[in-house]
Each structure stands twice: as C-alpha cells, then as structure tokens.
Amino acid sequence: MRKITTTILILTSLACFSQTSLSFQHLGNATFQNNLINPSLIPKGRFFLGLPVLSGVHFNVNNKFNYNEGFTVESTRTLIDVPKIIGNLQRQNMLTTKVEVNLLHLGYKLKSGALLSFVANERVEADFLYPKEMVEYVFTKGNSQFLNKDVKISKIGLRATHFREFGLGIAAPINDQLTVGLRGKFLVGFANASLPGGTSAVLKTNGEAFQIDAEWKKAILRTSGFDIYDDTEGDLGSHLVMNGNTGFAIDIGGTYKLNRYYTITGSVVDLGFINWKENIKNYSLADTSFNYSGVNLEDLDDIEQTLEDSLFSKFETTDTFDPYKSWLPVTAYGSWIYHYSPKTDFYVSAGTRLVQRHIKMMYGAGITQKFGKAFTGSISVTKLPQQFFNVGAAFVVKGGPVQMYMAADQVINFSVPDAKAIDFRFGMSFAFGNRPEKEVESGLSRAPINGARGIDTNVFLGKKVKTKKRDGIYSIIKRQKRRELKNKRTKRDGDVDKKSLNGRSGKKNTGAE
C-alpha cells in the first residue's frame, strides 16, 4: 500500500508543474493544435506536421492554496502550516494536475476543404477532490470543535492516470455556415489509481474521553500498473510500448456562422474510457463501523503491537484482482465570437469538466487581434474553478511554414510560490501550402466573407456599396445615382455606312445630269 501511495504522489508531481487554457482557445484556428480542443476548427494550409515534443507541451495545476499559504520557513526548516491551509479552503476543494506532450500530428486538407488528421499524445492526469471538514478533522489537534458532532465526509474523488492516445479525425464544411468535426481515439493505459465513487464516512468524537466512532462505506481503491513502475513485476519498457489496458474515446465539435458578424463554436472532448486488465490490485475496506477509545500507554515495550491490535486492525483491507473500467474526465467548451473586423475578434467562452460526477466550470472573455500575416495575439480575462479572475494571453508567430505558439492563463504579477493555478502551453509545428485567401469587406462590419458573391457581399452592379439594414434575404442600400448608358454600335457584316450610301447615290445623280 505504501508503494501505491508513493507512485500516486510521483504521478501527481509529474503533472503538477503543468482545466485547459481559454486564452489558447481564443486563438481560433490559428494553429493545428487548436483542433485538439475543437475538432471542427480547420487551420489555414494544405499539409500539417508536428514533431515529437517540439510540437506541443501543456502543463496545468489548479489548487485552492499556494506554496506560501501551505508552508512556513523557520530558520533552516520548512514546516507545513495546517491552520493557514485550512483557512484558505472552501467547503469542497480539489487538486487538479495535468501534463500533455504531443508525440506526433499529421494533417492534410482536401480540395473540398475537409481536413484529415492523425494525432498521438502522451498524457498524465490526476484529480483529488476532498471536503474541508475532512482536513479539519484529521489535522486539528484534539478535534475539540467536533465533540458530539457527526462529521460526514463524502464527495471524495481520486483518479491518477498515465495513458497514450492515438486519434484519427476529420473536419468538413457541411455548407457555407456549418463545419463539423469528429475524432476517434484509441487509448493505451499504463498506470491508474482511482476511487469508483460513492466513498463516504461518518466520524464522531464522543465526550471528554475523545472516543471516536467511525463508519465508512464503499471504501475501494483500484490500481493498475504500479508494480511494474516499481520494477517488482513485468518489464516496464514493453509495458510502455503496448499492453492490454486499452480503451476508446471520441472528440466532437462544431462551428456555425450565424452571419458575417457572429459565430458560435462548441466541442466535447475525451468522451471515453479505459479497460484496465493487466497488473490489477484493488484494496477494499468492508462497510463497517467501529469505536476507538485510545491505547494503554503504560506498557510502552509493546506499543507497536498495542497499536496494531487497537487501531490498525480496524483498517484491514481485502485485496482483489478484478479488472475494471475508468472513464476519462469529459470536457466541453463553447464560444460566442463577434467579428469586429477581418483582423479583430471578440470572444465570450465557457467550459466545464466532469470529474467523477463533479462538475467544474470555467469562464473567459477576450479579444484576438491579427498583426499582419505573421502574428496573432489574444488577451483574455479567465475565471477557473475555485480561483479568482486572472488575465491570460496567447500568441502565434508564423514565418514561412514554421508556426510557434505560447499561451498562459496568468501573466500579470505571476509568481510560482504565490500561484494557485498555472496553465501554460507552448510548441512549434509546420504548415505548408498556406496561401492567403482573398477577403471582401462587408459594409457596416468589416468582417471578411471569403468566396461570397452577389448582393449579400454588399456589391451592387459591380460596385461596393454600404448596407443600411437587412430584411430577410434583402439588403437595403442607399439610392444610387443614375448611371449613363453608353450606346456603342459596332459594324456587323451586311451593315452599310450611311455616308458611303449617300455619296454613291450622289455620284449617280451627277452622272445622269
């Protein structure tokens, strides 16, 4: 059990230097990587290539307290400051960590405009959800404030997973307004620790003797792959290439242009599961209750056996080796976009993440600006779960086929010891065949309408005009000046010049005289 706990901490620490960046989402289709958030986004270009690691790394952590609120330095020692931690907790808390590395991506755009893609990503994720009362009861000395009170500990969640995904996707324009995207993903799991859900406990400290009555239900910890990580079983190298822990997931997305001014986008990603079949070891506590009244310290020579008989025996676990299924945390995004001009967009976005039946929301609003053909940047105000408002930024720089991007959801007065949430991603990839598209300005709004024709583009008789308003399929424009019609006739076969005719007739008359 100690090995399991240690490995969970390792997985968490790997990710904690890493919810997903809304600032990056506000770049729209500026990079191929935005397609991973919304499969319907089609970047500009014909062929796309991302190399291992270089093409994208994403780090994320979200916690309720920061380093300075959890630790205190005294001379040469660093101490855990429990009262300060408890003071910063809310009723329900979470620690979310994530790291994602792009191993490879390929994309090709067909002549029809549809995008075919392949992606491979390495992902390590961990989520721990816990109530404030649990921390108070465990770490508050004497539990005096809980005397003769029931402390109900529920809504506890834990999942830590290391897995790899391979995805095949397609994004296709259905018509001039709607584009949809779908990606199917094959998953390979390497390590997992999770609670199946529904774990609960009731604790009560009775009387002056501080006797503890405890009751718990559905206390099960499921694990897979930890013995291989500890080098006590199997071969880690072959396990990380391929194994029997497999699953499937899908990503879906859509983009709908309401008109030239507004666009809405939405996506649902990581809708899937992993079946864990190899290196399984599950630890379960039977549903039970017990009373703990302390130990007799008069006989200190056998204190270890005394604790074993009086306390540790209450927590004996039953080991099982049954396969199980774990679901990925489903994430959904949505954006309302106002196209102010061909180079300026305003975004209002929201996202949600479902973690073991717990919904966590995030919100954001921002502006995206293009500076020429080489630089696109966005500034956003974001509200992540259990955090205050932050200012984020993202940009992409293009030079030839090379695209470099970077995004962060906290850029003002950032300090690692004071940060409760960090979301940072960067990468470089290649887009070939990126030909600029001709844009037509659109009257009151200067948003581009690519490839559009007719009066809907504010063109009347071949001349650009300003639209006053729209009524259904009709566009109301100002009264136009009368245009002079130039009546030019050209000679055709059989036509006779009047002057020539008159001249000929005159000669004949003169000759007759």
Side-chain angles (χ1 to χ4, degrees), residues 203-354:
L203 305 174
K204 184 176 182 179
T205 304
N206 294 318
E208 297 180 357
F210 290 91
Q211 294 181 348
I212 299 175
D213 294 330
E215 178 182 353
W216 62 76
K217 296 180 180 180
K218 296 183 180 180
I220 303 173
L221 175 63
R222 308 175 303 184
T223 70
S224 173
F226 286 93
D227 289 338
I228 297 179
Y229 276 76
D230 291 336
D231 291 331
T232 59
E233 182 179 321
D235 179 65
L236 181 61
S238 61
H239 179 76
L240 294 178
V241 174
M242 181 59 67
N243 59 68
N245 301 323
T246 59
F248 300 92
I250 61 171
D251 301 339
I252 57 176
T255 300
Y256 186 76
K257 297 180 181 179
L258 297 173
N259 50 46
R260 70 191 58 189
Y261 309 113
Y262 300 105
T263 297
I264 56 175
T265 67
S267 64
V268 178
V269 298
D270 290 339
L271 185 59
F273 59 89
I274 299 177
N275 288 314
W276 300 93
K277 302 177 181 179
E278 294 188 0
N279 195 232
I280 304 297
K281 197 168 186 180
N282 305 320
Y283 305 87
S284 61
L285 292 172
D287 294 353
T288 187
S289 60
F290 72 92
N291 175 273
Y292 175 67
S293 56
V295 298
N296 184 0
L297 299 180
E298 294 181 356
D299 187 7
L300 295 179
D301 294 335
D302 200 14
I303 184 63
E304 183 176 351
Q305 186 62 43
T306 302
L307 289 173
E308 177 71 27
D309 296 338
S310 61
L311 180 61
F312 296 156
S313 61
K314 310 293 185 181
F315 297 94
E316 289 184 356
T317 61
T318 301
D319 298 345
T320 62
F321 308 93
D322 300 326
Y324 63 92
K325 176 188 296 184
S326 69
W327 292 86
L328 301 182
V330 180
T331 306
Y333 303 97
S335 292
W336 180 282
I337 310 169
Y338 170 59
H339 305 292
Y340 176 75
S341 77
K343 297 183 180 297
T344 307
D345 292 325
F346 290 92
Y347 281 78
V348 176
S349 301
T352 183
R353 190 165 180 261
L354 180 62

